[in-house]
Amino acid sequence: MSEHNGTPPGHRLVALVEVMDTLRRECPWDAEQTHQSLAKYLVEEAYETLEAIEREDWGTLAEELGDVLLQVVFHARVAAERGADGFTIDDVADAIIDKLVRRHPHVFSDTEVAGADEVRANWEAIKAAEREARGERADVSVLAGVPFAQPAALLAYELQKRAARNGVPEDLIDDDGGPGGELFAAVARERRGSRDPELDLRAAARRFDAAVRAVEEAARADGLDPRQLTPEQWRSYWRRERGRAPR
């Protein structure tokens, strides 16, 4: 961890903005990027950050968070070039500061809350009031505000959680008999068990990855090509390696 030497936390963010300004002016690749061309990197860096958290690789996490932060600074720098129609990194900071203060009246004002549930309820109520103040067409659904641009397991989880929290009976949050219904119901089972379906599915994928790799390694140790294994050989190695795997 770097030392502050008496300087306030966050002072290096100014240097990052300056570096981004220089790159935008002097690097051919950075100079030609747009919001659209950068969009994929924002998603990639977010998932690489998630992977570092899953591995509890805290050293790498700092680096990955830096990559995410770069995307924010980069987009703000691109937007600043639009002049009056754009925005700057300070506008980005101001917007989130204002939002956090506004949506935490129990911290920055005199509102009292009994716990995290009331904090969440206040957040949703304040958000709805903000939309109304902006003149947006009111979406009175209890599902208003759930973004569909997210992984399917997370989307199903968020819709279900919002619905259940607002009185939709649990027996209605289940398989509707259509395509994907069984997966939707599986997410519901995870949620009812107070588990996160997205993270649990990722954990299951990692276990499968580890199992396949263990079989491949064992087969190679026996002088076999994993790609040439018969189904029965796969099953035999699979049972053997699963017996060795820690529970």
Side-chain angles (χ1 to χ4, degrees):
M1 180 181 295
S2 61
E3 297 293 334
H4 293 305
N5 297 322
T7 55
H11 70 282
R12 293 296 290 162
L13 296 178
V14 175
L16 173 59
V17 172
E18 293 172 348
V19 168
M20 188 67 252
D21 285 343
T22 301
L23 291 175
R24 187 67 174 174
R25 291 192 308 268
E26 301 181 13
C27 172
W29 186 88
D30 289 281
E32 69 181 12
Q33 299 311 305
T34 65
H35 292 304
Q36 290 79 6
S37 69
L38 291 170
K40 63 180 180 180
Y41 300 111
L42 184 59
V43 175
E44 290 174 4
E45 301 300 355
Y47 273 104
E48 288 180 8
T49 301
L50 175 57
E51 185 173 11
I53 293 172
E54 289 175 342
R55 293 180 175 177
E56 298 187 359
D57 186 350
W58 309 132
T60 299
L61 178 59
E63 179 181 348
E64 298 299 347
L65 286 170
D67 290 338
V68 173
L69 179 59
L70 170 61
Q71 300 308 308
V72 176
V73 173
F74 208 152
H75 278 281
R77 181 62 176 80
V78 172
E81 296 170 7
R82 297 200 299 271
D85 293 331
F87 54 85
T88 69
I89 189 65
D90 290 317
D91 293 323
V92 173
D94 282 341
I96 191 60
I97 290 169
D98 290 347
K99 180 184 292 185
L100 289 174
V101 171
R102 192 169 59 248
R103 295 188 184 178
H104 289 80
H106 54 288
V107 176
F108 299 103
S109 187
D110 54 4
T111 299
E112 295 184 2
V113 295
D117 286 342
E118 285 192 21
V119 171
R120 285 191 289 267
N122 285 345
W123 180 284
E124 294 299 333
I126 294 169
K127 185 164 64 173
E130 291 168 356
R131 288 195 297 266
E132 184 176 349
R134 290 194 298 266
E136 297 178 5
R137 191 174 74 176
D139 184 350
V140 297
S141 171
V142 297
L143 303 179
V146 176
F148 272 67
Q150 57 180 314
L154 269 179
L155 173 60
Y157 176 71
E158 290 297 331
L159 289 171
Q160 293 177 9
K161 184 173 65 173
R162 185 78 65 86
R165 187 186 299 160
N166 286 277
V168 177
E170 282 288 349
D171 60 289
L172 300 181
I173 308 174
D174 217 325
D175 183 356
D176 64 358
E182 292 182 7
L183 291 174
F184 195 81
V187 170
R189 289 193 296 272
E190 284 275 303
R191 177 181 53 81
R192 290 163 188 158
S194 299
R195 297 187 297 272
D196 186 315
E198 182 74 13
L199 295 182
D200 282 356
L201 183 57
R202 289 177 63 86
R206 287 191 178 281
R207 292 194 300 272
F208 179 76
D209 177 81
V212 170
R213 292 175 186 273
V215 168
E216 291 174 330
E217 184 176 349
R220 291 191 189 98
D222 290 341
L224 300 175
D225 181 350
R227 290 181 174 80
Q228 301 300 319
L229 294 179
T230 66
E232 282 308 313
Q233 286 175 314
W234 266 104
R235 293 186 181 97
S236 176
Y237 277 113
W238 195 272
R239 288 191 296 269
R240 191 178 81 182
E241 294 307 314
R242 282 180 64 86
R244 294 175 178 176
R247 298 293 180 182

